[in-house]
Amino acid sequence: MWLLAIGIVFALLGVAGIVAAPAMVEAQRKQGMVPVASDEIDDDDRIAVTKGVGIVFATVGVVLVVYALV
């Protein structure tokens, strides 16, 4: 039961991260939370990495849900 709940949370967080990645990067930029070497890293790269982390979270969540249901 706990594994199912954790999987659902991971999947939801992953999907939210994928959808909200551009807004998160923009909010970080507005608040001055940019990386130290910001000349080398542009916003498109940061959005891609944020979406990538969201995909990993969503994948782990789906795997946990499937494992819990089997």
Side-chain angles (χ1 to χ4, degrees):
M1 186 68 181
W2 283 101
L3 199 57
L4 180 64
I6 291 171
I8 291 171
V9 169
F10 265 72
L12 291 175
L13 285 175
V15 170
I18 293 167
V19 172
M24 286 189 281
V25 170
E26 179 64 24
Q28 290 171 354
R29 189 184 62 75
K30 284 182 180 178
Q31 295 177 5
M33 297 172 20
V34 295
V36 176
S38 62
D39 295 337
E40 301 171 5
I41 304 171
D42 61 348
D43 284 348
D44 292 335
D45 292 338
R46 294 178 61 211
I47 291 170
V49 169
T50 305
K51 284 185 178 185
V53 172
I55 290 169
V56 170
F57 265 68
T59 303
V60 169
V62 169
V63 168
L64 289 175
V65 168
V66 169
Y67 182 74
L69 294 176
V70 172

